[in-house]
């Protein structure tokens, strides 16, 4: 795949992922308003969703992304029938694992609930958590098959179906969620537990809509796919058993890497309440965990959408270059990925930290603790993004065993530090332990990439320093303007906070863009498109 194709594929996935994340972020404004009078509602929602996320990764067993890598590998050899054979058997496997995961999560919901509720003084009870976990578990029936079809298209380096189905899934889920919660609370006058149960069940409804769209895409493209297969070599006869041996080797690291962020959150879910109860803060632990794992996390994860798109695009691309032994092309792809990722993620994360108060107010209303957590948590998005992409690179060069090690090291660091840091700093301690854990994992990933891909970081370090300088310069007018507007506008008012965000964000983006264009950094990263844009405006 050429560099321009990499950028185009990444752009399509980035756009789809960003729209999906954007919708997933903004629905919390009306959702928060609907459940505002229900203490612990958002915490209950998160208690149900977190085990679902982990079970989803186990149910798919990393197969969708592993299938993407597998198909890309054999397509590069023009052995298209191998990938189609795997796809057919994979549909059966994903259906079975989805049903199995659903049954386990549904039946063992009481066990999971008792693991997170530490005290009767908490706002949320064990019975409420059981009900919500069971409601969300139904989504496991359809999501694995849907994810496999996405992996199939990505293996053909076709990113459109994944991007569009992501958006449709999110739209349907959000509409059902908001309408359902409104009906339960204000029409049927039901309980908060019933409303949150409907909200989590929306994942199943969104999954069905996305699956239907992907089936439509497949049926529409099947004649072309059949023609491509018939024109290939199709000389290799690989048994299903041998296929799954290869898939299992690919899939285990994909499981762990794909669930890395939820696992870090799980450490908080399992240990945060223990630490807070131990220092006599059981009454506020649900609310602080809600801020950490739901409200601020929703905002922090937005800059990471780029990394997610890069990871999806990068795996088949790097696998193809690695399989062909094209080392120079492989190093160019790694180099460009690092630079574009940091170029876009750093200003977004730093800007969110600088404007934490109006950003939090816009989505959740004024809250001092929420603002303080977001200010320190936002820069961690850079670590989330770098970890995701470096792990994808390691899988692309068949060094996935090291991604398992790096994740385990990161989790062990997080687990060892979380309770003492939470006891010392409360919720900010959890943010700090997450940061240290991710740094440990990233350092291992970078060392592995340097060794096995013969990749030198000299240019990336040089460009990163330049980007840091640009971000510092950008921060100066943003902060001056922010404090100036603070004299006449109230950042605790939602409408005025929106105005502050728009004005300061626009100025920051403009300054960063001008610096990037003047220095020709944007040209080096994005090629002729930027040059043509400059010529048009000049």
């Amino acid at each position: 795949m050429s560099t321009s194709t990499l950028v185009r594929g990444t752009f399509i996935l980035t756009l789809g992922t960003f729209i999906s994340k954007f919708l997933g972020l903004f629905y919390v404004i009306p959702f928060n308003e609907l459940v505002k009078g229900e203490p612990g509602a958002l915490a209950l929602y998160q208690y149900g969703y977190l085990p679902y996320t982990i079970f989803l990764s186990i149910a798919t067993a990393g197969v969708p992304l592993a299938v993407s890598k597998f198909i890309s590998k054999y397509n590069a050899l023009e052995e298209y029938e191998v990938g189609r054979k795997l796809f057919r058997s994979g549909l059966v496997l994903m259906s079975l694992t989805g049903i199995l995961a659903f049954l386990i999560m549904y039946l063992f919901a009481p066990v999971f609930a008792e693991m997170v509720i530490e005290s009767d003084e908490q706002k949320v009870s064990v019975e409420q958590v059981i009900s919500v976990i069971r409601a969300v578990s139904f989504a496991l029936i359809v999501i694995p098959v849907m994810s496999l079809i996405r992996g199939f298209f990505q293996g053909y380096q076709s990113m459109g179906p994944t991007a569009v189905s992501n958006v449709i899934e999110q739209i349907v889920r959000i509409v059902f969620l908001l309408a359902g919660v409104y009906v339960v609370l204000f029409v049927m006058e039901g309980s908060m537990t019933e409303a949150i149960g409907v909200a989590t069940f929306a994942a199943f409804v969104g999954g069905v809509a996305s699956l239907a769209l992907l089936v439509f895409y497949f049926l529409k493209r099947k004649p072309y796919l059949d023609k491509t297969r018939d024109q290939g070599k199709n000389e290799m006869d690989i048994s299903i058993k041998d296929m799954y041996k290869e898939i299992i080797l690919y899939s285990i690291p994909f499981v762990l890497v794909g669930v890395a962020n939820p696992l870090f959150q799980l450490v908080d879910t399992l240990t945060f309440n223990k630490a807070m109860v131990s220092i006599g803060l059981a009454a506020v632990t649900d609310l602080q965990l809600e801020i950490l794992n739901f409200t601020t996390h929703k905002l922090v994860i937005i800059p990471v959408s780029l990394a997610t798109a890069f990871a999806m695009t990068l795996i088949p691309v790097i696998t193809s270059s690695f399989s062909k032994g094209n080392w120079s092309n492989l190093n160019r792809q790694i180099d460009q990925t690092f630079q574009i990722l940091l170029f876009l993620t750093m200003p977004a994360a730093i800007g969110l930290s600088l404007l934490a108060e109006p950003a939090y107010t816009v989505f959740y209303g004024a809250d001092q603790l929420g603002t303080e957590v977001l200010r320190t948590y936002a820069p961690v998005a850079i670590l989330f993004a770098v970890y995701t992409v470096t792990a994808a690179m390691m899988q692309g060069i068949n060094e996935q065993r090291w991604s398992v090690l790096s994740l385990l090291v990161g989790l062990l660091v997080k687990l060892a530090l979380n309770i003492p840091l939470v006891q010392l700093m409360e919720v900010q301690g959890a943010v700090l332990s997450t940061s240290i854990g991710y740094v440990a994992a990233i350092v291992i990933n970078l060392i592995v990439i340097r060794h096995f891909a013969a990749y030198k970081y000299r240019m990336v370090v040089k460009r990163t320093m330049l980007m840091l300088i640009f971000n510092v310069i950008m921060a100066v007018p943003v902060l001056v303007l922010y404090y100036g507007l603070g004299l006449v506008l109230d950042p605790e008012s939602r409408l005025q906070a929106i105005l502050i965000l728009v004005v300061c964000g626009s100025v920051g983006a403009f300054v960063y863009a001008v610096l990037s264009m003047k220095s020709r950094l944007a040209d080096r990263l994005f090629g002729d498109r930027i040059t043509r844009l400059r010529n048009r405006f000049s």
Side-chain angles (χ1 to χ4, degrees), residues 56 59-60 64 94-95 97-98 139-149:
L56 180 60
T60 57
M94 287 295 95
S95 299
T97 56
L140 292 170
I141 298 172
V142 296
I143 300 295
V145 174
M146 177 198 75
S147 300
L148 177 74
I149 301 175

Side-chain angles (χ1 to χ4, degrees), residues 481-496:
L481 187 59
Y482 173 56
Y483 287 116
L485 290 174
L487 298 175
V488 293
L489 297 175
D490 182 9
E492 295 187 357
S493 163
R494 180 163 283 165
L495 288 176
Q496 295 180 52

